[in-house]
Amino acid sequence: MAERKGPGKSSDFKKRKRKTEKGILGVPKRPMLFSFNVRQGEEWSSDSEDSDYLPSDEEISNTKRKVNKRKRIKNCQEQKPKESVEKLTERSGVSLQLPEEILLKIFQESVNSQGTLPFLVRASKVCRTWRNVACDPTLWRKVDLSFGWIKMSERVLKWLCENRLTHCTDVNLSASKFFVNSNIKLLTETCSQLKVINISYCKVTTETIVTIAENCHQLASLDLSFTPVDAVCLQSLKVLLPKHGPYLKQLTMGGNTYKSFNSVFNLILSHCPQLEMLDISNCLFSTDIVLVNVKKFQNSCPNLQILGLANSRIGVSQEPGLSSFPKLEQLSVAYNKPGDQPRSCLNLDLVTRILHDSPDLKLLDLRGNDNIDCYNLCNIDSNNLQSLHASNTATQRDGSQYQQLALLLTKWRRSLVELDLSWSTLREEDLKHAFKRLVNMTDHCPLSSLNLAGTNVTQETLSLILNKCQDLTSVNLTSCRGMTRGFKREFLTATDVRKLRKELNSMNSSDSSN
């Protein structure tokens, strides 16, 4: 007689049977184990969710370790007091524990080399000590707000003026769209120690210049270049110059349009005896040419060191006698009007009058003046000229031009560092004879930059120059008709110039051997 199975055994058998029918993921076996088209809200169940799931010994030990680790971390946090961010930062490096006096000197060097912004803003976020040093007013004396390191608003500007710029003496607002009349008024009213202001390319008006004149009591340098029409006019300058003219040392007014420039210029001569720099380049006038009394100019501004008249149609009025700018160091009368613009109205008489008795002249820029023969400047009083730019200037056709160039090179052979003769119409033999005289001099030649683009220089002449001038670091031979194709380019580094010298010498030695 067959043994009848009890109800308990039957249920255990069904459970075992049901368990063996499950798949590897605990899902009942179906024709497809899983599908890529899972309905939204459905997820595969894990083994731990099954009613008959028994974890292994390894899983139990891992769970216990995790729980014990959480307990240890929690106990450590409760027993150990929290350290401040400043202490943690100071423990991280010895350099952060420097005295504030040393940090201030380091910050000052960084500000001098990199500028106030964004260095001080980033340094103030390191720790509390760095923030205290970065807030020192002496580091905020010169601030450039033109680049946009700070997202400006009226609230931000007011906070800056009250907390950072109270001791500011030099501020640059060039080309900033934010600084209009009202914001410049807020800045000048709060920063009473301003001495240098640059508002070039800003959308200012006559009212802005009047505001600067009324609020700034120590003004020494002002840049008003490329401002809107009628912003820099006789009306605004009549308020500015009588009050600040006696103390102004630098005045930049280039790129503007003037309706009555003679009156403006006479106002400058009457009220600015301490001027050291005057720039009236790229100006447009109501008349074709503005005539300047050079003698009166020299007597009114005897301390002038830098004078810019580039691209401005200024001539000289006829007056007897001569005076001088005894401290003049830089003169720029370059002219570069493209297209059908009129020729330059400057002439050799104006240049020689300005340069009369100016022994400290270091830079002379005559580019583009086809009315000036730069090779006739041998008689000027300067013996220490360092930079001569004579591109596209006139030359005589009587056969004496190479002698005049040779005289120039001989006169300034000990001081000339930068020479630009590009696009000169001097003949090949003129350049050769002139530079040969320079090469035959026994003195050391300090020339470091030479521009001969578009000239008739030959490889033979260039080789003589390179072997004589060992300090050359830049040579421009673009479009030189006497050079082979591989040499008609710019050599911008000392390494390139050395390679050029070596190649020319090797070519010359091979030619001589043949």
Side-chain angles (χ1 to χ4, degrees), residues 472-513:
L472 276 172
T473 58
S474 174
V475 178
N476 189 353
L477 302 174
T478 307
S479 302
C480 289
R481 294 176 289 277
M483 306 295 296
T484 57
R485 186 179 296 274
F487 297 136
K488 295 181 181 182
R489 64 182 182 91
E490 288 187 76
F491 300 85
L492 300 176
T493 62
T495 304
D496 293 340
V497 175
R498 283 195 296 269
K499 290 181 180 179
L500 174 64
R501 183 185 295 114
K502 185 177 180 181
E503 291 179 7
L504 289 175
N505 290 335
S506 62
M507 291 175 62
N508 293 335
S509 61
S510 62
D511 292 342
S512 61
S513 62

Side-chain angles (χ1 to χ4, degrees), residues 309-312 331-337 344 346 351 363-372 374 377 387-394 418-423 451:
L309 305 174
N311 285 338
S312 295
L331 173 63
S332 175
V333 290
Y335 192 79
N336 185 25
K337 290 292 186 182
S344 171
L346 293 174
V351 176
L363 184 146
L364 179 58
D365 190 352
L366 304 170
R367 287 176 290 182
N369 284 282
D370 48 7
N371 295 334
I372 300 176
C374 71
L377 296 175
S387 299
L388 175 61
H389 301 273
S391 174
N392 272 323
T393 53
E418 186 176 5
L419 178 61
D420 181 5
L421 298 177
S422 57
W423 307 105
N451 189 350

Side-chain angles (χ1 to χ4, degrees), residues 10 22 98 148 152 164 206 218 266 281 322 370 418 451 453 470 490:
S10 177
K22 290 186 178 181
L98 291 173
M152 297 300 296
R164 294 291 183 270
T206 302
Q218 305 178 35
N266 290 329
S281 304
L322 290 173
D370 48 7
E418 186 176 5
N451 189 350
Q470 296 291 326
E490 288 187 76

Side-chain angles (χ1 to χ4, degrees), residues 65-81:
R65 281 199 297 270
K66 292 180 180 179
V67 172
N68 293 334
K69 185 177 180 179
R70 292 193 192 100
K71 289 182 179 179
R72 287 197 303 271
I73 293 174
K74 187 176 181 180
N75 293 333
C76 290
Q77 291 177 349
E78 292 176 353
Q79 295 174 4
K80 186 177 179 180

